[in-house]
Amino acid sequence: TKEVSGYGTGGIGSSRYHNTMAIQNEPSKTTDGDDFRYQLWASGSQWLYCSEDPKITALSQKKSYLAVTGDATNLYNCAAEHSMGVVHASRSIVWNKPDQVFVFDRATTNKAANFKRFWLNTQKKGRVEGKRISATTPRGQKLVVDSLLPKQSKIDILKVKVEPAEDEVMAYQIRVQPKRGKAREEFLHVLQGVDRQASPAETGFLAMGKRSSHLGAFAGKTAVLFKRDLGRVVKSFSYAAPLTVKVHLISGLKPGAGYAISATKTASSWSISLKSGGKLKAD
């Protein structure tokens, strides 16, 4: 999967074609439906030629993974268009090398009715089975996407309808949106690249308390945890993971701070607890 390359601004330039979130804002002062600014607003796009800079708030890279968090709130607001209703927009990604990508999106608007949508491009038309979407490449490899959040969501497969660049191969799109609108929404997806004869790893949501600072998912032997609110100070939390999980990647901790982690093995799962003040150092 990759962005769709092509021509135009309001269409091909909008966020929905670039593998990122669409978040509906306050109406643009531009009401001409042919104007690219109106088209950007109508699709919930980040703005072109208007926004303040986004921020990379966390970055961690090792041989086995890459983790990065970006605060894109500024990109979705435009003072010149009187469109300033996106309270927060950020994305955290953990690439578990080589074939798994965990993606957590946070989206908050000043109105619950404003839509929030996750977009992802594919070469061939995807197939939806429950909360799993599979798309096959021309050579038989598969892109498998598990949509874990929102829990109550609508998944659609749409055809790309903009003018593509020559040799552009992305032709279809996956769209995920909640069935009921809320001012704050969280999206959690696991992407897997799967060889022709192989099967995707089992995935699932990690069990933890409703008020936990973190949430996360597992895929095969790896569990990834994300901080729900970027500004929240993490003091302690607990979660359960399947016994098959061997590697736990906990993001959103304070760089250089000390933490204590305990792991208890039960008959069916690992019980993991983290609290601040221990001897283990976050990178």
Side-chain angles (χ1 to χ4, degrees), residues 27 46 48-49 60 94 96 167 171 187 195 198 224-225 228 234 252-253:
Q46 298 174 5
L48 303 179
Y49 321 121
S60 177
V94 172
N96 182 36
D167 296 326
F187 294 76
D195 289 336
V224 174
L225 291 101
R228 299 182 65 189
V234 180
L253 304 181

Side-chain angles (χ1 to χ4, degrees), residues 8-10 12-14 36-37 40 45-51 75 78:
T9 49
I12 197 71
S14 64
F36 80 93
R37 291 168 294 183
L40 291 173
S45 178
Q46 298 174 5
W47 290 94
L48 303 179
Y49 321 121
C50 179
S51 307
L75 297 179
C78 180

Side-chain angles (χ1 to χ4, degrees), residues 58 81 87 93 109 149 197 204 236 240 242:
E81 292 294 323
V87 179
I93 291 179
T109 55
L149 287 177
Q197 303 299 331
S236 65

Side-chain angles (χ1 to χ4, degrees), residues 4-265:
V4 177
S5 299
Y7 300 94
T9 49
I12 197 71
S14 64
S15 295
R16 62 170 288 180
Y17 292 109
H18 297 269
N19 281 355
T20 193
M21 291 289 296
I23 305 173
Q24 187 179 26
N25 208 322
E26 293 297 290
S28 165
K29 70 176 185 180
T30 304
T31 58
D32 181 358
D34 293 327
D35 192 295
F36 80 93
R37 291 168 294 183
Y38 180 88
Q39 295 172 19
L40 291 173
W41 166 77
S43 66
S45 178
Q46 298 174 5
W47 290 94
L48 303 179
Y49 321 121
C50 179
S51 307
E52 299 295 326
D53 290 337
K55 299 177 182 178
I56 297 295
T57 64
L59 178 64
S60 177
Q61 185 168 4
K62 306 293 182 184
K63 287 185 178 180
S64 61
Y65 73 85
L66 170 67
V68 61
T69 294
D71 185 338
T73 306
N74 288 339
L75 297 179
Y76 288 90
N77 288 318
C78 180
E81 292 294 323
H82 302 172
S83 190
M84 298 291 293
V86 174
V87 179
H88 181 82
S90 63
R91 167 169 283 185
S92 295
I93 291 179
V94 172
W95 172 26
N96 182 36
K97 301 178 183 180
D99 293 328
Q100 297 173 344
V101 182
F102 297 74
V103 185
F104 178 51
D105 292 290
R106 312 164 190 85
T108 304
T109 55
N110 62 345
K111 295 179 180 178
N114 290 5
F115 66 71
K116 292 94 177 166
R117 296 168 179 166
F118 173 92
W119 290 95
L120 194 72
N121 304 311
T122 62
Q123 291 175 272
K124 299 295 184 180
K125 187 175 182 179
R127 181 179 63 184
V128 181
E129 296 177 299
K131 300 278 281 185
R132 171 168 282 187
I133 310 105
S134 301
T136 304
T137 72
R139 294 186 179 182
Q141 294 174 313
K142 291 185 286 290
L143 171 65
V144 178
V145 182
D146 288 305
S147 183
L148 302 178
L149 287 177
K151 289 186 176 181
Q152 299 296 323
S153 64
K154 186 175 184 294
I155 302 174
D156 297 297
I157 306 298
L158 306 173
K159 190 172 179 59
V160 170
K161 293 183 178 180
V162 292
E163 182 183 358
E166 185 177 357
D167 296 326
E168 174 57 71
V169 297
M170 295 292 118
Y172 290 89
Q173 294 188 289
I174 299 168
R175 182 181 67 188
V176 180
Q177 55 187 337
K179 289 184 177 180
R180 291 186 178 183
K182 295 187 297 184
R184 175 189 168 92
E185 199 63 70
E186 296 170 332
F187 294 76
L188 180 60
H189 291 84
V190 180
L191 284 61
Q192 298 185 72
V194 184
D195 289 336
R196 182 193 297 264
Q197 303 299 331
S199 298
E202 179 186 0
T203 66
F205 197 71
L206 295 175
M208 54 184 56
K210 291 184 178 180
R211 297 184 179 181
S212 174
S213 63
H214 280 64
L215 56 72
F218 69 90
K221 297 181 179 181
T222 302
V224 174
L225 291 101
F226 298 103
K227 186 161 66 171
R228 299 182 65 189
D229 297 294
L230 294 187
R232 184 171 178 176
V233 177
V234 180
K235 295 183 178 180
S236 65
F237 66 91
S238 300
Y239 65 95
L243 293 177
T244 52
V245 172
K246 305 299 181 184
V247 177
H248 301 251
L249 298 175
I250 303 174
S251 65
L253 304 181
K254 183 178 179 181
Y259 295 88
I261 298 177
S262 64
T264 303
K265 187 176 182 180

